[in-house]
């Protein structure tokens, strides 16, 4: 069964550095998402992306964050000037359509640790 | 921000017992999904419910969407150790932004 893959599985970065998290969505999906889950807390929506532009973003997704689909397969989340509080699991998801019947398929996440 | 509260937060039961997990909100959702998440992995979709009052069954799991589409429940019959995990509900409102619940951590003891 097709799946969403994320790399790396664990990223350790010094505070203040930039980090890029990578995702390969399911190949025929058109809608892409990033979520984050701080340890012990709930999964939080960051951003959705369609047709090479951001569709929706949450309050968390400020100027520190950006997303990009640099080629036909990868979907990246860039975090600039990382802070300690950016430490979390970051999940990528994709869906074939944008409607309430269409499930989002999640990757296994990247654990980001900011030192 | 739309808040989805799940209860109980933690649940530990013996194998063979039945249980119900609740997902409640003051907001109306166009659809609601249930996921199970295991440590170190992403959420895995169990079911999507879209119609008020809808009931869906997945083997020993029964999902119900409230008539007003503000709440949902997950009932597991004869729980097994393989059911152990974090159960998450997620509601979709406008667009396709999902709001996740606080989660219920289930442990089934053999």
């Amino acid at each position: 069964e097709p799946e969403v893959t994320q790399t790396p599985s664990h990223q350790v970065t010094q505070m203040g550095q930039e980090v890029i998290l990578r995702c390969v969505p399911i190949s025929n999906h058109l809608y892409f998402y990033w979520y984050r889950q701080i340890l012990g807390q709930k999964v939080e929506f960051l951003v959705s992306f369609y047709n090479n532009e951001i569709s929706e973003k949450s309050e968390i997704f400020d100027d520190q964050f950006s997303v990009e689909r640099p080629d036909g397969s990868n979907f990246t989340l860039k975090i600039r000037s990382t802070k300690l509080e950016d430490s979390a699991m970051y999940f990528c998801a994709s869906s074939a359509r944008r409607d309430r019947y269409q499930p989002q398929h999640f990757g296994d996440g990247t654990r980001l640790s900011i030192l | 921000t739309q808040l989805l509260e799940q209860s109980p937060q933690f649940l530990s039961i013996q194998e063979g017992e039945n249980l119900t997990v609740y997902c409640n909100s003051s907001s109306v959702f166009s659809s609601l999904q249930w996921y199970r998440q295991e440590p170190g992995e992403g959420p895995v979709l169990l079911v999507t419910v879209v119609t008020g009052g809808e009931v869906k069954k997945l083997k020993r799991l029964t999902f119900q969407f409230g008539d007003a589409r503000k709440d949902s429940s997950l009932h597991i019959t004869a729980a097994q150790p393989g059911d152990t995990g974090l159960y998450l509900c997620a509601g979709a409102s406008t667009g396709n932004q999902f709001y996740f619940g606080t989660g219920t951590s289930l442990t089934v003891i053999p």
Side-chain angles (χ1 to χ4, degrees), chain B residues 25-44:
Chain B
S25 176
S26 58
S27 302
V28 176
F29 294 99
S30 59
S31 69
L32 193 137
Q33 302 190 347
W34 283 93
Y35 293 83
R36 192 174 91 186
Q37 184 181 21
E38 302 202 26
E41 298 181 10
V44 176

Side-chain angles (χ1 to χ4, degrees), chain A residues 33 35 37 42-43 45 56 58-59 91 95 97-104 106-108, chain B residues 3 30-31 33 35 37 40-43 45 48 50 88 94-98 100-102:
Chain A
Y33 313 86
Y35 292 82
Q37 185 176 31
K42 64 180 180 180
V43 177
F45 170 80
E56 295 167 283
S58 71
E59 298 169 346
F91 293 105
S95 63
R97 299 191 313 269
R98 179 186 168 135
D99 62 56
R100 59 182 183 157
Y101 301 94
Q102 192 58 224
Q104 296 183 15
F106 284 77
D108 283 342
Chain B
L3 189 61
S30 59
S31 69
Q33 302 190 347
Y35 293 83
Q37 184 181 21
E41 298 181 10
L45 179 71
T48 299
V50 297
L88 299 166
T94 57
N96 211 17
Q97 181 172 157
F98 275 67
F100 276 81
T102 48

